[in-house]
Amino acid sequence: MAIFENVLLALESLKLNKLRSVLTMLGIIIGIGSVIAISTVGSSLTGYVSDSMTALGASSINVSLTQKSSDDENSSNNNKDFRVKMFASETPDESDLITDEMIEDYKAAFPNDVKYVEKTCSVGTATYGSDETSVTVTGVEADYKDAEDIKLLYGRFIKDSDGERKLAVVADTFAENTLGLTPKDAVGEEFTVTVNNTQQKFYISGVYKYESETASSDEESSTDETTEMYIPLSTARHITGSGDGYQSISIKTSVDTDTLTFLDTTNSFFSSFYSSNDTWEVETTSLESVISTLTDVINTISYAIAAIAAISLLVGGIGVMNIMLVSISERTKEIGTRKALGATNGSIRMQFVTESMVICLVGGIIGITLGMALGAGLSKVLGYSASPNITSIITAVGFSLLIGLIFGYAPANKAAKLNPIDALRYE
């Protein structure tokens, strides 16, 4: 009950001296508000970057062939290897490529971690008609649809059993703007494109929903964008004359798999096939590692700016200490009367410490409210949704109470040590 009564006394004191209380809390309000606003913007930016990267395939691992770097050692073998690599081709031979057997062994070794393995063959850019509308042609397998979350509108996607059939899955915008057909009517239609200076005839097996990567809503700009055209992997190999191997593959991991940890496992597995290869080795990369680095950088910058903004809390704390000393001077007779009626030093000290903490708590709550509003506004201006940092809010409340305790203790202790006779005589 003593604490509750002290809180009520503190609130009553705030009501009696509204202007002075607001001015006292101003440093706390500015400090807490700045920290919350900065943490909200930082958290929102982190979420935006994470979501954007995830949409691009943060849970995927890319395995690609890269030329080995030469080690400048003083041995004759290394000098010989360097000369061999210096004149080596920048394109791997068919014997150097990642094979289907390697991929199957990999999937068998990690069945619970590997969801899909994307095996693609890039054919290049094809043109259609006299206006030379461009499409990017890529050979894919059936798993590609689910791996890339392609939304099929009509028809069917590429099947593994299609072999070298001249089938194609095109975008709805390509069907409408280039072929002059509705997406539904386009299924089964024949069209001819020029690929690598050679005309190739395809039949549309399916039409997917094209989602532009640009933020522009201009209809004319969407018609000029180059869309993807998917054909069977075997057909793409036949057109390009490429072998059965792959220079790069993309691996989609399972939901429960730690991509960063599995990245090293994947690298070790495929590197074992290239330990005796003098020219080529595998390199594994993941967007999740990039996300982790970017998140750390954003958080570090946010914390640094928040720490600078928090300096104003020190100013606010000094203001609280100053106003408490003034309050004690004004209420010296009250303190003397309470002591004469039997109040202990501890109860006097608790009264003024509580008042100091209440001032800082009220200021902290106002600061949090203003900080969240400012953070939400800044996030909206920057173009991403606000994401308040709950940890920062809880920390801000605790820190405001701590400021009240630290800067209110000295004045409260001074009040507790007043001699009741001197206090009653005070004018």
Side-chain angles (χ1 to χ4, degrees):
M1 287 299 294
I3 295 177
F4 182 70
E5 289 176 357
N6 287 332
V7 171
L8 291 179
L9 286 173
L11 293 175
E12 188 65 27
S13 177
L14 291 180
K15 291 179 182 179
L16 293 174
N17 303 280
K18 294 183 179 67
L19 181 59
R20 187 171 72 180
S21 299
V22 171
L23 294 175
T24 303
M25 293 185 292
L26 196 57
I28 302 296
I29 293 172
I30 293 173
I32 295 293
S34 301
V35 171
I36 295 299
I38 293 168
S39 64
T40 299
V41 173
S43 180
S44 301
L45 181 57
T46 301
Y48 174 78
V49 170
S50 180
D51 292 343
S52 299
M53 290 292 189
T54 300
L56 293 175
S59 62
S60 65
I61 296 174
N62 296 314
V63 182
S64 57
L65 293 181
T66 180
Q67 283 187 313
K68 288 184 176 179
S69 59
S70 59
D71 295 324
D72 190 16
E73 302 290 343
N74 292 324
S75 65
S76 59
N77 287 336
N78 282 334
N79 289 332
K80 179 181 178 181
D81 289 342
F82 174 73
R83 289 194 296 271
V84 171
K85 294 169 190 173
M86 185 172 63
F87 294 104
S89 171
E90 294 184 358
T91 303
D93 296 330
E94 187 171 343
S95 59
D96 296 320
L97 297 175
I98 301 170
T99 64
D100 287 311
E101 289 75 14
M102 294 180 190
I103 296 172
E104 291 304 318
D105 290 344
Y106 173 74
K107 291 165 68 176
F110 310 103
N112 297 325
D113 297 308
V114 180
K115 189 175 182 181
Y116 302 111
V117 176
E118 291 184 14
K119 298 179 288 185
T120 61
C121 177
S122 178
V123 178
T125 302
T127 57
Y128 175 85
S130 58
D131 59 350
E132 295 188 350
T133 302
S134 299
V135 288
T136 302
V137 184
T138 306
V140 299
E141 294 186 317
D143 287 346
Y144 191 86
K145 174 180 175 293
D146 293 330
E148 295 297 328
D149 193 25
I150 296 174
K151 297 177 176 59
L152 200 66
L153 299 176
Y154 300 100
R156 68 170 178 83
F157 198 72
I158 302 299
K159 292 183 179 180
D160 292 336
S161 59
D162 285 336
E164 295 183 10
R165 299 177 65 188
K166 293 295 186 70
L167 300 178
V169 177
V170 300
D172 55 346
T173 55
F174 178 80
E176 292 173 346
N177 302 327
T178 303
L179 302 181
L181 300 170
T182 64
K184 184 175 182 180
D185 293 337
V187 177
E189 290 296 319
E190 175 188 276
F191 69 102
T192 302
V193 292
T194 302
V195 184
N196 300 332
N197 297 321
T198 304
Q199 287 191 334
Q200 301 285 344
K201 184 183 295 184
F202 291 96
Y203 294 89
I204 299 175
S205 66
V207 179
Y208 69 91
K209 176 67 176 177
Y210 175 69
E211 296 180 357
S212 176
E213 296 180 358
T214 63
S216 174
S217 59
D218 187 356
E219 185 177 348
E220 292 184 2
S221 64
S222 65
T223 62
D224 296 333
E225 290 188 41
T226 301
T227 60
E228 291 276 354
M229 185 176 93
Y230 304 109
I231 63 176
L233 183 61
S234 298
T235 305
R237 284 173 171 170
H238 177 74
I239 293 173
T240 58
S242 59
D244 292 337
Y246 311 92
Q247 192 166 347
S248 66
I249 58 174
S250 181
I251 300 159
K252 299 290 183 180
T253 58
S254 301
V255 176
D256 298 330
T257 300
D258 184 348
T259 306
L260 293 178
T261 303
F262 195 56
L263 183 70
D264 295 331
T265 304
T266 300
N267 186 73
S268 299
F269 180 88
F270 284 100
S271 293
S272 64
F273 293 99
Y274 291 86
S275 57
S276 59
N277 193 310
D278 295 330
T279 309
W280 296 93
E281 62 183 354
V282 293
E283 181 181 36
T284 55
T285 56
S286 173
L287 279 179
E288 189 164 333
S289 60
V290 178
I291 292 175
S292 178
T293 302
L294 285 176
T295 300
D296 291 342
V297 170
I298 293 171
N299 287 338
T300 300
I301 295 173
S302 298
Y303 292 148
I305 298 174
I308 295 172
I311 295 175
S312 60
L313 289 174
L314 180 62
V315 178
I318 294 172
V320 171
M321 178 184 288
N322 179 60
I323 205 65
M324 291 304 299
L325 290 172
V326 172
S327 178
I328 288 169
S329 297
E330 293 176 346
R331 296 159 64 183
T332 302
K333 280 195 173 183
E334 175 191 332
I335 296 170
T337 303
R338 290 196 63 193
K339 281 201 164 190
L341 294 174
T344 63
N345 289 349
S347 62
I348 298 295
R349 187 182 295 110
M350 179 60 70
Q351 175 187 348
F352 287 96
V353 166
T354 302
E355 186 171 325
S356 173
M357 292 178 69
V358 167
I359 291 174
C360 291
L361 179 60
V362 173
I365 293 173
I366 296 173
I368 289 171
T369 304
L370 294 177
M372 289 178 65
L374 181 60
L378 289 174
S379 298
K380 187 175 181 179
V381 169
L382 294 174
Y384 38 82
S385 59
S387 178
N389 192 318
I390 303 300
T391 303
S392 297
I393 294 174
I394 296 174
T395 303
V397 173
F399 201 68
S400 61
L401 290 173
L402 184 63
I403 289 289
L405 176 62
I406 294 174
F407 287 91
Y409 183 81
N413 195 49
K414 179 183 177 181
K417 290 181 178 180
L418 285 176
N419 187 301
I421 297 176
D422 294 335
L424 287 171
R425 289 176 178 175
Y426 183 81
E427 293 294 336

